[in-house]
Amino acid sequence: AMQPLELTLIVAATRNMGIGLNGSMPWTGLRREMRYFARVTTRLPPQAAQTPGAVNAVIMGRKTWDSIPPKFRPLKNRLNIIVTRSAPTAAPSPSISITEPIRVSSLEQALKYAQARAVARVFVMGGAQIYEAALRLPETRRVLLTRIEQEFECDTFFNLHLGGGDTGTEGWTRRSRQELEEWTGEQVAEGGEEEAGTKYEFQMWEKTA
Ligand code: FOL
């Protein structure tokens, strides 16, 4: 049966919700954090794990695509969908191999493509403009936030303020560490993580209203 498409945003942000500087990330050296991103976006949910050929999709803006080191793109074992104003006018065929990134001209087209491909999970991985568009959609159910407990100079922000406690912004609720572990399949440290002198915490937020 056709599952209703559900979107998960995945983002690493400072306390001020800073996500970028000069077209790249404001920090360096958060390698375990990056590996968490790679595993979480790749891992299939239990229902899809048995299905041959099942994959997740990652949707990103063109600037985020450009920011990924060429040797890592397309992000492997995931269907990569790029939102760009210079997408071909014809809709991409639903049978293209995942070794080929798909270019579409809007987030709505990206969702339609993901649905036509019957992908397992759909992640929105930025940047700011794409997150902003996704936060307006009813399909957006969840944010996997890595909250970085150190200020970095940023010129790009995630425009939803999710608080430190479980009371964030109206309509959003923080889920427990156990709920995050169940949904992501990851084991996360109780008191948060620290790497390259930077403390951070893996969080999961869900839309309640
Ligand atoms: N979310 C989180 N939690 N952390 C991030 O760093 C992050 N980054 C983006 C979006 N959401 C995020 C966008 N930027 C790669 C590079 C930049 C990028 C996202 C991904 C990348 O190269 N990923 C490889 C891992 C490479 C490695 O192991 O170092 C991948 O396979 O996912």
Side-chain angles (χ1 to χ4, degrees), residues 9-13 19 24-25 27 30-31 33-39 41-42 58 60 64-65 67-69 71-78 124-127 131 144-146 148 202:
L9 278 53
I10 185 163
V11 62
I19 61 170
S24 63
M25 284 188 289
W27 45 82
L30 301 189
R31 303 202 50 214
E33 204 292 316
M34 181 56 80
R35 291 207 296 269
Y36 167 89
F37 167 89
R39 287 192 305 272
T41 54
T42 305
V58 287
M60 72 193 93
T64 295
W65 169 262
S67 80
I68 300 172
K71 65 173 173 179
F72 288 129
R73 64 188 205 216
L75 299 180
K76 66 171 186 225
N77 303 325
R78 288 151 283 179
V124 173
M125 56 172 282
Y131 287 137
L144 292 174
L145 168 68
T146 301
I148 297 180
F202 297 122

Side-chain angles (χ1 to χ4, degrees), residues 91-177:
S93 153
S95 63
I96 301 171
S97 146
I98 67 162
T99 59
E100 208 62 57
I102 300 300
R103 287 181 178 76
V104 296
S105 53
S106 67
L107 183 58
E108 287 75 11
Q109 291 298 318
L111 299 196
K112 278 191 188 153
Y113 189 80
Q115 189 127 39
R117 285 290 297 252
V119 297
R121 285 176 170 168
V122 185
F123 293 92
V124 173
M125 56 172 282
Q129 294 180 50
I130 301 298
Y131 287 137
E132 215 169 301
L135 286 168
R136 284 189 233 107
L137 297 177
E139 288 87 347
T140 294
R141 301 301 317 152
R142 180 179 302 99
V143 176
L144 292 174
L145 168 68
T146 301
R147 182 184 159 94
I148 297 180
E149 302 289 345
Q150 184 185 315
E151 276 318 319
F152 287 90
E153 188 196 336
C154 294
D155 61 14
T156 312
F157 296 84
F158 184 81
N159 79 333
L160 175 68
H161 272 268
L162 296 172
D166 51 11
T167 52
T169 302
E170 176 79 47
W172 288 86
T173 306
R174 186 172 169 188
R175 297 302 179 202
S176 67
R177 184 169 67 96

